[in-house]
Amino acid sequence: IGLASSELLKVANGFTTDPQTVMIPQDQRFLDIYAKNLTMFSLKTGDLIVAITALVAHANLVTWDKKLLREGTKHFTALNPNQFLGE
């Protein structure tokens, strides 16, 4: 997006200070949950991390990715952006 380092830091700090933002540490607990649920989804590693993060956070997942939507809706609320916006 063409922002300077200091501007990117301000954006990142905005996320971490927003009371609605939940930080999910990618620590041993997360890795244990990841390993336990590895076979729950038929996804590649990057998408699997996104899915497990949504599962751990009890969060709605909003994505255009059709496979992530299909796999996610089996275990949590997964919506495309139009559904999320009520369009």
Side-chain angles (χ1 to χ4, degrees):
I1 55 180
L3 295 176
S5 301
S6 60
E7 291 300 312
L8 287 173
L9 187 56
K10 286 180 188 176
V11 171
N13 286 336
F15 286 120
T16 59
T17 58
D18 183 335
Q20 294 182 339
T21 299
V22 177
M23 301 300 282
I24 306 292
Q26 308 291 298
D27 56 9
Q28 188 61 48
R29 179 180 167 273
F30 179 86
L31 292 174
D32 291 343
I33 294 168
Y34 177 87
K36 181 180 175 184
N37 295 293
L38 195 57
T39 59
M40 184 191 298
F41 301 94
S42 176
L43 296 167
K44 293 184 179 179
T45 304
D47 288 340
L48 185 58
I49 291 170
V50 170
I52 297 292
T53 301
L55 187 68
V56 168
H58 305 284
N60 296 335
L61 176 65
V62 181
T63 182
W64 283 116
D65 187 293
K66 291 179 182 178
K67 187 167 186 180
L68 192 50
L69 283 167
R70 185 175 58 249
E71 290 293 316
T73 55
K74 297 176 186 175
H75 308 286
F76 50 80
T77 302
L79 309 162
N80 70 42
N82 291 334
Q83 292 169 318
F84 179 74
L85 295 172
E87 297 176 0

